[in-house]
Amino acid sequence: MGANLTDLSSGPPHPAGQTSAAALPPHDIILELRDLEKRYGHVQALKKSTLSFRRGEIHAIVGENGAGKSTLIKLLTGVIRRTGGTIIWNGQEVDLATPNEAINHGINAVHQEVVLCRQLSVAANIFLGDENTKWGLLQRREMSRAAQKILDDMGFSLPADALLGTLTIGQQQLVATARASLRGTKFIIFDEPTAYLTRQEAAQLFALIRRLKAEGVTIVYISHRMEEVFELADRVSVLRDGTHVGTRNIEDTNDAELVALMINRTLEQIYHKEEIPFGKTLLQTRNLSGKGFNDVSITVRQGEIVGLYGLIGAGRSEFALSIFGRNPKTSGEILWKEQPVDISNERKAIDLGIALAPESRRDQGLNLNLPIGLNINLPVYDQLMRGPVIDSGEEKRRADAQIRDLQIKTPSRRSLASSMSGGNQQKIVIGKWLNHGAEVFIFDEPTVGVDVGTKAEIYRLFARLLKNGAGIILISSYLPEVYELADTLHVFREGHLVGSQSYRERSHEDILAEAIGV
Amino acid sequence: MTTETVPTSVKTRRNWNFLFALTLVGLLVLLCVALSIATPNFATGNNISNLLRQGSMIAILAIGQTFVIITAGIDLSVGAIVGFSTVVVASLIQSGVPVWIAIIVTLLMGLLIGFFHAFGIVKMGLPPFIITLATLTSLRGIGLLMTNGSTINITDAGFNQFSRESFLGVPNLFWMVIIVAVPAFVFLHLSKWGRYLYAVGSNPEAARLSGVSVPRMIYIAYGLSAMCAAIVGVMLAARLGVGNATQGDGWELQAIASSVIGGTSLFGAVGSVHGPLIGAFILATISNGANLLNVNSFWQRIITGALIIIIVFFDQLRRRSR
Amino acid sequence: MTTETVPTSVKTRRNWNFLFALTLVGLLVLLCVALSIATPNFATGNNISNLLRQGSMIAILAIGQTFVIITAGIDLSVGAIVGFSTVVVASLIQSGVPVWIAIIVTLLMGLLIGFFHAFGIVKMGLPPFIITLATLTSLRGIGLLMTNGSTINITDAGFNQFSRESFLGVPNLFWMVIIVAVPAFVFLHLSKWGRYLYAVGSNPEAARLSGVSVPRMIYIAYGLSAMCAAIVGVMLAARLGVGNATQGDGWELQAIASSVIGGTSLFGAVGSVHGPLIGAFILATISNGANLLNVNSFWQRIITGALIIIIVFFDQLRRRSR
Amino acid sequence: SLAQDVTIPIIVKDTTSFYWQIVLAGARAAGQELGVNVPELGAQAETDINGQISILENAVSGSPAAIVIAPTERSALGAPITEAAQSVPIIGIDSSAESDAFSSFLTTDNVQGGRIAADGLAAAIEAATGKIEGDVAIITNSPNAGSLEERRQGFMEQLAAEYPGLNLVADKYADGQAATGLNITTDLLTANPNLVGIFASNLIQAQGAGQAIAENGAAERVALVGFDSDDKLVGFLKDGTIDALVVQDPYRMGYDGIKTALAVSKGETVEKFVDTGANLITTANMDDERSQELLNPKVN
Ligand SMILES: Nc1ncnc2c1ncn2[C@@H]1O[C@H](COP(=O)(O)OP(=O)(O)OP(=O)(O)O)[C@@H](O)[C@H]1O
Ligand SMILES: Nc1ncnc2c1ncn2[C@@H]1O[C@H](COP(=O)(O)OP(=O)(O)OP(=O)(O)O)[C@@H](O)[C@H]1O
Ligand SMILES: [Mg+2]
Ligand SMILES: [Mg+2]
């Protein structure tokens, strides 16, 4: 798979290319959107857009964070109601006012944020609203067995009886995928399904998508990862600022064109890498063990990006949380600037100069029902106090600075974090630590859901932090990211460090083999 | 509720392991065994009958309340509905309506009150706390107006007799608990409706996207809770032989407490039918035991508070260590 | 709380637009204007003083309660703490302790009770509902034991006089509200602690990972709530001139209701200091007005319930349309 | 005359109780007869002292001709009443308060009521068992209600002074609910085989206790004395479940309270203290004319 734009634009053969999209007769349009529009108060999330989807195609939608992609999907699945325009399904004008109506037409979606019930089991979630009953009684065992079979068939190794809340976000996303592809789906929308998946799971997902396509199902695929778009899609539509700016057959375009359409300018390079000399050793772990990881020794120096790669559940996040004082270690030690330290809680880690942008923005990263400004400043209120009260001018200034620097798309710092698009929420999670003046930054899946343009900004920001004498631990399940950025790369498998390499001395294949354990 | 994992308290667990492994039923049994040893009067058939009678009303309220709490709501009105129902059923019976019609009318009225709550929540966007608090206040007023602050004496002997008698050695009032609990169990744990209730409490958006009608589930939950309260009202009217609007005062807190002791989470999506039942009978046993031991009324309050803490603490530990 | 957007009710909005734009203060003012027209006695200086005195205690309780509710908790014990504090302060004064020491000791005792709640929540993992319900029950028992079920008469004239007098034309009791509300406002809205409180209520895990000590915030919230209740206990002891353990019965519900009417969400992370204040005075005004208009006390309940629904409904509409 | 413009509010302890409704009925009747406007005010529980003070303050704001009040707590209501009396004449009914500002008092002596109850209970026990011996219990509706404490005090004093054979084994407080009284009584019957008598010192608890005795078929074994009356208790009295009721004259208290208040407001001299009395009504004397008058007050 291509690691950067130049690789990709040369274009691998597209497996989905056989279906000649242009040859389809017009009556094979399954869904047509005319002048579709959505306003949230004063925010125009989607401006008059006209789009059509053909039966049995894989139709990718790309666009910047906040371009309106998720909004479009929510309109099609009855989650929210449009404020204007018409929707034509199979030649008939339809309302799509409620989720039920969408479901009855066979329209399903895997939403960007997992919308499932944490307190119910995996099986219960999969069958929610479509329970198997006999004489009014639930057939629990039967459903559990069926759910397990579905999951196994899809290649997802997940326990059907586990409570959903005990799964990681990525696993939850897989459950949502299993759920959406059941029940006689004719039209299925994936909103950044691979954000929390590793290559292996992503490959299983792609297999599933191709199988669905073969069965005649129409697939809409939203992603910020260009190579996925080129690997899967037949056609691709671009949204910019809530407007549909174009649709291309996949053979007729390349990612330079798509990126230009998305952000209205060209981008030479996504992965921004500068040669920065390493300085003092900042953080070391010696044989650190804890719940989920075992015997891990790493070193972070000034100017260094330490990449941690592995499959889902390999234990990297647990390891990071342990360094940060969130989870207790069971053995081993942590050294800060060569001195052993006892990091028994988060405050101690923060006071030493460690920052953690956690993996799950919904569960760990954000206070969703609070304003963006508060979220951004939360770790630094200590620095904002002037006597007994907060310096509100400084508070505003800092929040606005992050919103500007990270191009967070919001009407105001007073908007609630929950009203942001997924990618913009992710920017808040990162942004809240940039004011803090930490020396070691742990970024756990920092660019999940972030658009290409902003990704490039974030990588440039990494370079800035490094030049200021910081070190970075970058946890990512997206191999190109760690591959291109990390100075030292550690591969985790089942809680163990199985390989460590420095920049340039490794290949994709080696890393993958290590991670999967073959 | 902001709970923290407690590495420190784990250390104290060593010698008391057996206590921590006790389920709620186990704690109830332990309580009963202790009381049987402490007083010869506890384990008599007569007292067990009394105990079953004494716990039955709060138990039924707690089951109804649990449906509401599972949807992440709360029903503060149940005590007031109990009082109001005694007035309604008493005045109907005294005005010559056949007993069974009076009972049915009262239960339907309970259902309607519950639907009104659901209407306030679903259509008017009111917090459950507010709408049910408002009904609590108003219903007591209406009941007092109807009776002019006095009690309505029920002269129908058969109606009064019912609450005193037993069937197969079990007091009729406890049979009522079984009659309510069995369908409630089927509904909550074995039917898809129960599952929808959990889904609504867990994530209403997910429920809605799955085609579950959230408003309908809210109507069902509040309707059932209020109807359970009306059932208790009828039972209380039969037991006391009067209709009186101020009865059942504060029972909403007892019902919610029973439910929470029984493992229901006020944040929704966690709860069962048997938990609240056991919770209610734990509370009834504490008060029965204190009466039998002739504990000073003031000490009784102090002990009840302490026992609630202890019981829920052990139960929490067990849940957490699972 | 499961709220649903209500496209249908939007239609009815047309002619009543001005009502829907009213803030809570607006509704309170509207209520006062209506009462001034309906009865000549309402807008007299004497009555306004009465009104300020009558609302002051619940207002202070509601402010304390709001801190707790913002952390997504609840404090059911405040009414019991009020009663218990009257007993403590009365017995200290009567045993010859100087008044100011008696007051300080009482407030510290309140703080300790709050810390005990936080301990139960943080260290024992108990739901706030349960631990504060347990203290509610136990504290009443302890207070009754201390007084042997009777009242302690406070003979210190200066202490009693305080609650009756005014300063700059404003009743002393209302000055107490200001003395509590101003620091509370600074704490909640202007200091970092307030921000932390909201963060804890919104997502404790995210707050924790941002370096906020969640346990410490829980201690602060429950400590402040219980201390506010102790302050109210001292005020009540001064107003009544007695210490009596059963006073303040049911005030916890009134405090929570005031808070929720004032816009606080029982799910945490939403609330202010001024909202609960206004909520408390809306309730006080309703009851003052009903008394002045000589509304039958049963009707008074019915009307109070209805007005709560109406006021919160309008307030919800305004919030939603923002 | 100008009488229609005269307003005399009456403030009772607890508008939700039947006893106070009878007081209000008496006051209402007097108001109609005398052409006086009588707002009927009161707290919602006998223990709500603060509520009653607020209501008194509000009543004074209305500048009435006089105020009739049943103070809910002796010392707490003292100062507010003294303060109110500076602008309005105050007439006390039912219970007293620590204030010398009252223009007149019409009270029952609740301590005396408790004594009468003890006598009634002893007589009933003697009638049933032939001797005045055994265990007895008292159930109080809720702690800290002044008049209930006085009844309890009178009852206990009289027991100690006059009936050494009667042994007080349980001194219980309920929570204002009849069901609680019922449960307590049931448990008392279970725990005390030698129990021969119970005094339930108000209406609600007498209903609960009576029900428990009927439920357990213990009417033969255990004597029950209640306080105040309604249809339910009269029924119990008839069928022997309850042996005696101590009955006050609340109707007269309300009626005479308003009448006296009007007189005071016109500057007439009135009697400073009036005892409206407490009477023991048993199965034997319940059909007397006076008993019937007390048992069946004209509420509406
Ligand atoms: N509930 C809401 N209230 C107000 N504005 C909203 C709400 N939901 C979304 N928006 C706004 O609508 C715009 C489009 O959001 P949308 O979620 O569709 O973006 P997106 O294209 O999916 O972005 P991303 O790639 O970051 O997921 C954004 O500016 C967002 O802030
Ligand atoms: N909430 C949870 N409950 C139970 N087990 C969990 C939970 N979260 C993680 N685990 C388990 O802990 C182990 C380590 O998970 P962790 O999230 O650290 O993995 P990771 O390498 O970061 O993977 P990911 O790619 O998901 O970030 C895995 O076995 C995982 O299944
Ligand atoms: Mg999106
Ligand atoms: Mg992870």
Side-chain angles (χ1 to χ4, degrees):
Chain A
M1 181 184 301
N4 61 36
L5 284 180
T6 13
D7 281 1
L8 278 171
S9 51
S10 63
H14 304 302
Q18 310 94 315
T19 329
S20 174
L24 285 168
H27 69 261
D28 241 29
I29 287 177
I30 186 164
L31 181 70
E32 194 181 347
L33 315 176
R34 290 193 192 139
D35 294 336
L36 202 61
E37 209 181 1
K38 174 70 192 176
R39 257 176 287 108
Y40 288 105
H42 302 294
V43 181
Q44 182 99 17
L46 196 64
K47 295 167 195 158
K48 288 192 187 224
S49 296
T50 300
L51 253 172
S52 56
F53 301 95
R54 295 173 187 160
R55 200 179 306 282
E57 76 168 336
I58 298 181
H59 192 130
I61 297 180
V62 296
E64 275 186 296
N65 293 134
K69 305 180 294 297
S70 298
T71 303
L72 181 69
I73 271 44
K74 288 181 190 160
L75 290 174
L76 295 185
T77 46
V79 177
I80 52 177
R81 279 197 85 151
R82 60 184 181 274
T83 44
T86 41
I87 301 175
I88 291 151
W89 171 258
N90 270 330
Q92 304 274 317
E93 194 176 321
V94 289
D95 212 18
L96 291 186
T98 65
N100 252 338
E101 197 184 336
I103 294 170
N104 291 339
H105 287 308
I107 304 176
N108 281 287
V110 179
H111 292 279
Q112 188 172 14
E113 302 298 335
V114 176
V115 199
L116 295 174
C117 298
R118 299 170 62 86
Q119 285 91 345
L120 294 185
S121 71
V122 169
N125 270 292
I126 288 179
F127 285 102
L128 187 62
D130 197 22
E131 280 78 4
N132 203 338
T133 56
K134 196 188 263 175
W135 303 310
L137 299 183
L138 287 175
Q139 301 306 107
R140 279 167 188 276
R141 209 161 312 140
E142 213 166 278
M143 281 191 285
S144 160
R145 227 177 292 130
Q148 193 65 61
K149 184 165 182 318
I150 291 160
L151 291 169
D152 293 346
D153 284 354
M154 290 177 177
F156 306 154
S157 53
L158 294 173
D161 290 324
L163 284 191
L164 189 88
T166 63
L167 303 183
T168 62
I169 291 270
Q171 292 168 324
Q172 294 182 18
Q173 196 95 41
L174 294 179
V175 175
T177 305
R179 189 189 143 74
S181 45
L182 291 173
R183 324 183 172 187
T185 289
K186 298 198 193 82
F187 191 96
I188 179 165
I189 308 159
F190 293 94
D191 194 352
E192 295 187 42
T194 53
Y196 289 99
L197 305 187
T198 46
R199 265 182 75 113
Q200 194 193 18
E201 281 83 8
Q204 281 161 350
L205 179 74
F206 291 177
L208 174 72
I209 288 175
R210 294 210 176 87
R211 202 173 80 205
L212 288 169
K213 176 188 154 102
E215 289 164 9
V217 176
T218 309
I219 285 138
V220 177
Y221 189 88
I222 298 174
S223 182
H224 290 293
R225 297 180 181 170
M226 287 301 153
E227 69 280 10
E228 289 178 356
V229 170
F230 283 96
E231 187 180 337
L232 278 175
D234 301 315
R235 294 199 303 161
V236 52
S237 294
V238 182
L239 291 185
R240 186 171 70 226
D241 274 338
T243 320
H244 174 216
V245 291
T247 299
R248 301 282 185 275
N249 286 327
I250 205 75
E251 307 90 340
D252 307 338
T253 188
N254 58 41
D255 49 30
E257 186 196 16
L258 290 184
V259 170
L261 278 174
M262 275 163 63
I263 63 179
N264 213 5
R265 65 192 159 93
T266 50
L267 198 68
E268 302 94 59
Q269 189 189 25
I270 294 178
Y271 298 107
H272 178 88
K273 181 78 192 158
E274 292 178 38
E275 291 298 333
I276 298 162
F278 299 157
K280 292 194 308 246
T281 301
L282 292 171
L283 180 83
Q284 279 172 287
T285 64
R286 282 203 194 130
N287 310 102
L288 200 67
S289 299
K291 184 179 154 270
F293 63 95
N294 233 312
D295 196 20
V296 178
S297 305
I298 65 162
T299 302
V300 185
R301 287 163 289 184
Q302 287 183 318
E304 180 180 25
I305 294 183
V306 176
L308 305 184
Y309 181 73
L311 301 184
I312 278 188
R316 298 158 302 164
S317 300
E318 309 278 321
F319 171 66
L321 286 171
S322 190
I323 296 177
F324 196 61
R326 173 63 184 87
N327 294 342
K329 60 173 200 240
T330 52
S331 68
E333 61 178 347
I334 302 173
L335 283 79
W336 178 256
K337 298 184 178 164
E338 323 270 356
Q339 297 297 315
V341 284
D342 172 35
I343 302 179
S344 54
N345 63 42
E346 302 81 1
R347 190 77 245 172
K348 288 199 178 142
I350 293 169
D351 289 345
L352 281 177
I354 304 176
L356 170 71
E359 168 178 38
S360 162
R361 58 177 173 251
R362 185 191 62 187
D363 295 335
Q364 304 170 304
L366 290 176
N367 292 292
L368 278 172
N369 56 352
L370 292 179
I372 298 172
L374 200 161
N375 271 288
I376 289 178
N377 284 320
L378 193 56
V380 295
Y381 273 115
D382 271 338
Q383 303 166 11
L384 293 177
M385 293 292 276
R386 296 289 169 270
V389 298
I390 292 168
D391 179 344
S392 63
E394 181 67 8
E395 186 187 21
K396 286 183 196 128
R397 205 192 55 70
R398 293 225 194 175
D400 287 339
Q402 286 313 324
I403 291 171
R404 195 183 51 237
D405 287 358
L406 288 169
Q407 298 161 18
I408 297 173
K409 199 174 169 228
T410 169
S412 145
R413 79 186 107 76
R414 279 185 295 271
S415 302
L416 299 187
S418 58
S419 72
M420 295 293 93
S421 78
N424 283 302
Q425 288 180 358
Q426 186 65 33
K427 294 184 207 168
I428 301 173
V429 175
I430 298 172
K432 69 198 262 186
W433 287 106
L434 299 180
N435 280 328
H436 183 263
E439 289 179 273
V440 168
F441 290 84
I442 308 173
F443 292 111
D444 197 350
E445 313 283 4
T447 56
V448 158
V450 172
D451 67 46
V452 269
T454 315
K455 245 185 216 170
E457 290 302 320
I458 290 175
Y459 298 145
R460 227 165 249 130
L461 208 132
F462 284 0
R464 209 165 72 210
L465 293 173
L466 296 175
K467 273 189 271 186
N468 291 341
I472 291 174
I473 298 177
L474 173 64
I475 301 175
S476 178
S477 306
Y478 186 46
L479 186 53
E481 186 170 88
V482 268
Y483 185 82
E484 293 298 328
L485 290 173
D487 298 300
T488 310
L489 182 61
H490 300 290
V491 179
F492 273 60
R493 176 166 21 100
E494 290 165 4
H496 292 270
L497 246 184
V498 290
S500 304
Q501 297 147 320
S502 67
Y503 196 53
R504 303 283 172 232
E505 68 182 34
R506 61 200 175 198
S507 71
H508 271 157
E509 290 68 28
D510 295 347
I511 297 167
L512 264 182
E514 272 172 0
I516 300 166
V518 285
Chain B
M1 269 150 233
T2 330
T3 52
E4 293 283 302
T5 38
V6 203
T8 50
S9 72
V10 176
K11 287 176 210 150
T12 61
R13 233 188 260 188
R14 232 167 287 139
N15 303 314
W16 294 91
N17 261 329
F18 82 100
L19 260 184
F20 294 89
L22 280 181
T23 57
L24 218 49
V25 181
L27 285 166
L28 179 55
V29 170
L30 195 74
L31 203 60
C32 290
V33 170
L35 283 171
S36 306
I37 296 166
T39 161
N41 299 317
F42 183 81
T44 60
N46 190 20
N47 187 58
I48 298 299
S49 282
N50 284 339
L51 183 55
L52 292 180
R53 275 200 212 111
Q54 288 164 11
S56 59
M57 302 200 197
I58 299 292
I60 293 177
L61 289 184
I63 291 175
Q65 185 73 248
T66 302
F67 294 139
V68 166
I69 301 182
I70 285 177
T71 69
I74 198 157
D75 189 349
L76 294 178
S77 72
V78 293
I81 296 178
V82 169
F84 186 62
S85 301
T86 66
V87 171
V88 171
V89 77
S91 49
L92 285 173
I93 291 178
Q94 288 311 98
S95 68
V97 174
V99 169
W100 65 274
I101 294 183
I103 292 175
I104 288 175
V105 169
T106 308
L107 300 193
L108 285 180
M109 175 224 59
L111 195 66
L112 280 183
I113 295 173
F115 285 170
F116 174 70
H117 294 153
F119 176 84
I121 295 163
V122 171
K123 290 287 171 197
M124 300 173 74
L126 299 175
F129 187 92
I130 287 294
I131 179 86
T132 57
L133 179 78
T135 341
L136 152 64
T137 318
S138 294
L139 273 187
R140 291 244 186 257
I142 298 173
L144 285 165
L145 260 189
M146 284 172 66
T147 59
N148 198 16
S150 81
T151 48
I152 299 174
N153 194 6
I154 303 174
T155 47
D156 185 298
F159 181 68
N160 297 357
Q161 204 53 37
F162 171 80
S163 68
R164 296 193 200 143
E165 284 175 354
S166 294
F167 176 66
L168 302 178
V170 174
N172 284 351
L173 289 182
F174 190 75
W175 277 114
M176 291 299 301
V177 176
I178 295 173
I179 289 174
V180 170
V182 170
F185 186 89
V186 172
F187 170 82
L188 188 63
H189 296 288
L190 304 179
S191 85
K192 64 175 183 178
W193 302 106
R195 191 149 281 182
Y196 293 171
L197 223 46
Y198 287 103
V200 167
S202 171
N203 187 342
E205 184 64 10
R208 194 170 75 92
L209 295 190
S210 305
V212 174
S213 166
V214 177
R216 184 194 293 163
M217 295 318 297
I218 299 284
Y219 274 92
I220 290 178
Y222 285 83
L224 287 178
S225 172
M227 199 155 85
C228 282
I231 293 174
V232 172
V234 171
M235 286 163 65
L236 184 64
R239 185 146 199 240
L240 297 178
V242 297
N244 179 321
T246 57
Q247 294 308 301
D249 187 35
W251 286 15
E252 57 280 356
L253 277 192
Q254 290 188 47
I256 300 170
S258 301
S259 189
V260 177
I261 291 174
T264 312
S265 156
L266 287 174
F267 286 95
V270 177
S272 65
V273 165
H274 41 285
L277 268 186
I278 299 164
F281 280 99
I282 284 179
L283 289 180
T285 308
I286 293 175
S287 119
N288 174 273
N291 281 337
L292 291 186
L293 291 169
N294 195 17
V295 175
N296 167 306
S297 299
F298 306 152
W299 272 110
Q300 194 164 326
R301 296 184 188 225
I302 303 175
I303 292 169
T304 305
L307 279 180
I308 290 177
I309 294 182
I310 293 169
I311 289 171
V312 178
F313 173 62
F314 281 147
D315 192 49
Q316 291 289 112
L317 274 188
R318 181 183 59 85
R319 276 166 212 276
R320 223 187 281 146
S321 62
R322 261 201 320 215
Chain C
M1 271 151 230
T2 330
T3 52
E4 292 283 302
T5 37
V6 201
T8 49
S9 70
V10 176
K11 286 175 209 149
T12 61
R13 234 187 259 189
R14 233 166 288 140
N15 302 314
W16 295 90
N17 261 328
F18 83 99
L19 259 185
F20 294 89
L22 280 183
T23 57
L24 219 48
V25 181
L27 286 166
L28 179 55
V29 171
L30 194 74
L31 204 60
C32 290
V33 170
L35 283 172
S36 306
I37 296 168
T39 160
N41 300 319
F42 182 80
T44 60
N46 187 22
N47 186 58
I48 298 298
S49 284
N50 283 343
L51 183 56
L52 291 180
R53 268 197 224 124
Q54 287 159 14
S56 59
M57 303 202 197
I58 299 294
I60 294 178
L61 289 184
I63 291 175
Q65 185 74 248
T66 302
F67 295 140
V68 166
I69 301 182
I70 285 177
T71 69
I74 199 157
D75 188 349
L76 293 178
S77 72
V78 293
I81 296 179
V82 169
F84 186 61
S85 301
T86 66
V87 170
V88 171
V89 77
S91 49
L92 285 173
I93 292 178
Q94 288 312 98
S95 67
V97 174
V99 169
W100 65 274
I101 294 184
I103 292 176
I104 288 176
V105 169
T106 308
L107 301 193
L108 286 179
M109 176 224 60
L111 196 65
L112 281 184
I113 295 174
F115 285 169
F116 174 69
H117 294 153
F119 176 84
I121 295 163
V122 171
K123 289 288 171 195
M124 300 173 73
L126 300 174
F129 186 93
I130 287 294
I131 179 84
T132 58
L133 180 78
T135 342
L136 152 66
T137 318
S138 293
L139 274 186
R140 292 242 185 259
I142 298 174
L144 285 166
L145 262 188
M146 284 173 65
T147 59
N148 199 17
S150 77
T151 50
I152 299 175
N153 205 350
I154 303 174
T155 47
D156 185 298
F159 182 71
N160 297 355
Q161 205 50 38
F162 171 80
S163 68
R164 264 189 217 106
E165 285 175 353
S166 296
F167 176 67
L168 301 178
V170 174
N172 285 351
L173 289 183
F174 189 75
W175 279 114
M176 292 300 301
V177 176
I178 295 172
I179 290 174
V180 170
V182 169
F185 187 89
V186 172
F187 171 82
L188 187 64
H189 295 290
L190 304 179
S191 85
K192 65 173 180 177
W193 303 106
R195 304 284 199 276
Y196 291 171
L197 222 47
Y198 287 104
V200 167
S202 164
N203 184 346
E205 182 65 21
R208 193 177 167 169
L209 289 178
S210 301
V212 176
S213 166
V214 177
R216 183 193 293 164
M217 295 318 298
I218 300 284
Y219 273 92
I220 291 178
Y222 285 83
L224 287 178
S225 172
M227 199 157 83
C228 283
I231 293 175
V232 173
V234 172
M235 287 163 64
L236 185 64
R239 182 160 153 98
L240 301 181
V242 297
N244 178 317
T246 54
Q247 294 309 301
D249 188 35
W251 287 15
E252 57 280 355
L253 276 193
Q254 288 188 49
I256 300 170
S258 300
S259 190
V260 176
I261 290 175
T264 314
S265 155
L266 287 173
F267 286 96
V270 178
S272 64
V273 166
H274 40 284
L277 270 186
I278 300 165
F281 281 99
I282 284 178
L283 289 181
T285 308
I286 293 175
S287 124
N288 174 278
N291 282 337
L292 291 185
L293 289 171
N294 187 21
V295 175
N296 166 307
S297 67
F298 304 153
W299 272 109
Q300 196 166 324
R301 294 188 185 222
I302 303 174
I303 292 169
T304 304
L307 278 180
I308 291 177
I309 293 181
I310 293 169
I311 288 171
V312 179
F313 173 61
F314 281 146
D315 191 48
Q316 290 289 111
L317 273 188
R318 181 182 59 84
R319 278 167 209 274
R320 224 186 281 145
S321 64
R322 261 201 320 217
Chain D
S1 79
L2 290 171
Q4 254 326 330
D5 299 336
V6 176
T7 296
I8 301 177
I10 178 166
I11 303 173
V12 298
K13 296 184 187 178
D14 174 8
T15 54
T16 69
S17 108
F18 185 53
Y19 175 83
W20 293 108
Q21 283 298 323
I22 302 173
V23 173
L24 292 177
R28 200 179 309 135
Q32 275 156 10
E33 258 169 54
L34 305 169
V36 176
N37 184 21
V38 181
E40 299 164 16
L41 308 173
Q44 314 261 330
E46 289 217 5
T47 48
D48 185 5
I49 306 172
N50 188 44
Q52 206 189 34
I53 294 179
S54 298
I55 290 166
L56 176 61
E57 288 170 353
N58 291 341
V60 174
S61 290
S63 18
I67 292 176
V68 179
I69 185 169
T72 204
E73 214 282 329
R74 272 186 71 79
S75 44
L77 265 292
I81 285 175
T82 310
E83 192 178 292
Q86 288 165 4
S87 41
V88 198
I90 306 280
I91 283 71
I93 56 168
D94 189 76
S95 315
S96 62
E98 280 168 12
S99 167
D100 39 23
F102 285 106
S103 305
S104 176
F105 256 140
L106 298 88
T107 62
T108 20
D109 183 346
N110 276 300
V111 178
Q112 181 58 21
R115 292 201 193 100
I116 293 173
D119 294 339
L121 191 64
I125 291 169
E126 190 173 23
T129 64
K131 52 186 196 266
I132 309 182
E133 273 170 28
D135 294 345
V136 295
I138 173 170
I139 302 175
T140 306
N141 187 49
S142 58
N144 276 348
S147 52
L148 299 184
E149 286 302 319
E150 286 168 8
R151 289 171 200 171
R152 175 170 162 273
Q153 180 200 338
F155 179 77
M156 287 166 52
E157 280 172 8
Q158 188 74 351
L159 273 193
E162 302 286 335
Y163 307 107
L166 294 181
N167 179 21
L168 187 73
V169 291
D171 173 14
K172 291 284 180 188
Y173 285 91
D175 58 358
Q177 296 294 302
T180 310
L182 201 166
N183 290 343
I184 289 176
T185 309
T186 314
D187 293 339
L188 282 175
L189 294 174
T190 308
N192 301 286
N194 298 326
L195 195 74
V196 291
I198 298 175
F199 172 40
S201 72
N202 82 336
L203 190 85
I204 291 288
Q205 297 308 316
Q207 287 179 354
Q211 198 66 29
I213 284 178
E215 200 171 293
N216 285 271
E220 298 295 306
R221 172 159 79 90
V222 179
L224 175 63
V225 173
F227 212 107
D228 298 337
S229 76
D230 73 347
D231 289 351
K232 179 80 189 167
L233 295 192
V234 171
F236 278 146
L237 195 59
K238 271 199 193 116
D239 68 20
T241 305
I242 285 182
D243 297 85
L245 291 172
V246 181
V247 180
Q248 301 157 279
D249 196 350
Y251 189 87
R252 177 173 159 213
M253 241 182 273
Y255 186 91
D256 286 355
I258 296 295
K259 220 170 154 179
T260 314
L262 184 66
V264 170
S265 74
K266 287 179 180 158
E268 297 166 14
T269 47
V270 294
E271 236 179 295
K272 189 99 191 188
F273 294 101
V274 182
D275 184 355
T276 55
N279 309 274
L280 189 72
I281 296 185
T282 61
T283 323
N285 71 3
M286 68 180 291
D287 293 325
D288 298 356
E289 195 187 326
R290 173 66 182 150
S291 299
Q292 282 300 313
E293 202 178 290
L294 289 170
L295 291 177
N296 299 307
K298 314 169 275 293
V299 178
N300 286 310

